[in-house]
Amino acid sequence: MLIKSADVRKAKNNKPFIAFTFQDKSGQIDGKFWDAKEEDINRFQAGTVVFVSGKRELYQNNPQLRISKMRLAQAGEPSSPELYMERAPIRTEDMIEEINQTLFEITSAPINRVVRYLLKKFHKEFFDFPAAKRHHHAFPGGLSFHTISILRLAKTVVKNYPGVSQSLLYGGVILHDIGKTIELTGSLSTEYTLKGNLIGHIVLIDEEITKACEALKISEDNEDIILLKHVVLAHHGKMEYGSPVLPHLLEAEIIHYLDNLDASINMIDTALQRTTEGSFSERIFGLENRSFYKPNVTPPAQTE
């Protein structure tokens, strides 16, 4: 497995241990390495492929690996981290094409120009980064896949509710999480940057919209720009969830709910993939520690 993260902590007896998150293409699992020595801490770093022997157990209804033996991958064994990383289910080229086609549907010139500018500035990171360190779409390409999933939902909303501003909704969806390209370190061994920890992606993208306006000679007092900033700043829906302002536009409210919907579906779907039929999933931290039931699926009747 790949070591996705390796956090050194101290046990109650004051001895160091390593809290690991391992992953392969089927998902991830946590494990504790007790009584870690200095050489263990130096050897088992995030981004390293290891061979692990252990037992899968449940701790507070969450799967955890009780490690019995662990070693580094040896010569001749598959040791490239990319072999153990989940990928977005859509090819990068197809995601780029879908985003580019959507740009033609943003008819507000100021919003279109700012969105194009920031997509070009963060192009590589946007199509490579995860959408989060752990909770949802936490895999390479997860950021762009999450964005496209919300865009598809947004296009259905526009068809059903003609009063919605297509330009503002699509522009806000594309930019709402692009600040994570600054907030996070990348797709391998994802951590929060200093700016990510101290400022956060919502304020960071607001700053980037300001910089884009300066570069493009667009006034920040332009109403479309003010509205674009608002839907981005309000997309977490509540101040206690990190938004500095509550949604006060129809499009801001829509983006908030579509963002939550897509993230929730991804977290539940990921947990259910690791759950046997007729039982409950592990607890999902991002959904109030709730667990979800996976129904028994009756196979279709055979016809003669």
Side-chain angles (χ1 to χ4, degrees), residues 233-251:
L233 289 169
H235 82 266
H236 276 190
K238 295 183 179 180
M239 292 181 180
E240 56 264 41
Y241 296 158
S243 277
V245 63
L246 300 179
H248 288 287
L249 290 170
L250 172 60
E251 293 77 11

Side-chain angles (χ1 to χ4, degrees), residues 18-274:
I18 310 172
F20 287 112
T21 298
F22 300 104
Q23 76 168 54
D24 62 14
K25 288 189 175 181
S26 69
Q28 60 187 38
I29 189 169
D30 293 333
K32 303 287 194 302
F33 189 97
W34 301 104
D35 298 332
K37 300 179 175 60
E38 190 67 31
E39 55 265 32
D40 298 320
I41 295 170
N42 294 331
R43 182 185 301 121
F44 301 125
Q45 297 279 331
T48 304
V49 174
V50 291
F51 184 89
V52 184
S53 298
K55 182 181 179 183
R56 183 186 185 277
E57 299 179 331
L58 286 179
Y59 175 72
Q60 296 181 345
N61 206 36
N62 287 317
Q64 184 171 280
L65 187 65
R66 180 191 285 264
I67 300 168
S68 55
K69 292 181 182 179
M70 190 163 78
R71 62 168 173 79
L72 299 177
Q74 298 173 350
E77 294 178 330
S79 58
S80 174
E82 288 76 17
L83 296 173
Y84 301 88
M85 297 170 70
E86 184 184 359
R87 299 292 308 187
I90 305 176
R91 294 189 318 142
T92 300
E93 295 80 6
D94 294 335
M95 290 196 286
I96 292 172
E97 177 64 21
E98 191 163 342
I99 291 286
N100 286 341
Q101 287 301 315
T102 301
L103 293 175
F104 291 107
E105 301 176 60
I106 300 175
T107 55
S108 161
I111 294 176
N112 189 295
R113 292 178 68 202
V114 168
V115 171
R116 286 181 182 272
Y117 180 90
L118 292 175
L119 276 175
K120 182 178 180 181
K121 181 175 181 178
F122 297 106
H123 182 273
K124 183 179 182 300
E125 296 89 347
F126 180 68
F127 289 100
D128 179 63
F129 273 41
K133 177 182 176 181
R134 184 178 182 92
H135 296 305
H136 72 92
H137 301 88
F139 48 80
L143 176 56
S144 49
F145 178 64
H146 172 53
T147 302
I148 283 173
S149 298
I150 300 175
L151 267 180
R152 291 174 177 177
L153 295 170
K155 291 181 180 182
T156 301
V157 169
V158 167
K159 287 178 183 177
N160 283 282
Y161 302 95
V164 175
S165 167
Q166 183 171 291
S167 291
L168 183 57
L169 187 64
Y170 297 173
V173 167
I174 292 172
L175 294 186
H176 85 286
D177 267 354
I178 206 169
K180 290 183 176 180
T181 60
I182 306 170
E183 181 180 56
L184 302 173
T185 57
S187 57
L188 181 63
S189 307
T190 307
E191 297 292 342
Y192 286 91
T193 62
L194 181 60
K195 282 186 175 182
N197 272 316
L198 297 183
I199 301 174
H201 71 279
I202 292 180
V203 174
L204 288 169
I205 188 53
D206 179 71
E207 293 175 351
E208 288 299 325
I209 293 173
T210 295
K211 292 176 187 177
C213 287
E214 292 173 354
L216 297 168
K217 303 294 190 290
I218 299 172
S219 171
E220 278 194 273
D221 292 328
N222 181 292
E223 184 170 284
D224 281 3
I225 297 300
I226 295 172
L227 300 184
L228 179 64
K229 283 192 160 206
H230 174 77
V231 299
V232 170
L233 289 169
H235 82 266
H236 276 190
K238 295 183 179 180
M239 292 181 180
E240 56 264 41
Y241 296 158
S243 277
V245 63
L246 300 179
H248 288 287
L249 290 170
L250 172 60
E251 293 77 11
E253 188 80 351
I254 293 169
I255 291 173
H256 163 56
Y257 279 107
L258 294 186
D259 182 32
N260 264 358
L261 176 63
D262 185 58
S264 297
I265 289 174
N266 180 259
M267 286 187 281
I268 295 168
D269 185 53
T270 300
L272 291 180
Q273 286 176 19
R274 301 195 291 263

Side-chain angles (χ1 to χ4, degrees), residues 274-286:
R274 301 195 291 263
T275 306
T276 56
E277 292 180 359
S279 61
F280 280 87
S281 72
E282 64 203 58
R283 294 185 182 275
I284 303 174
F285 176 79

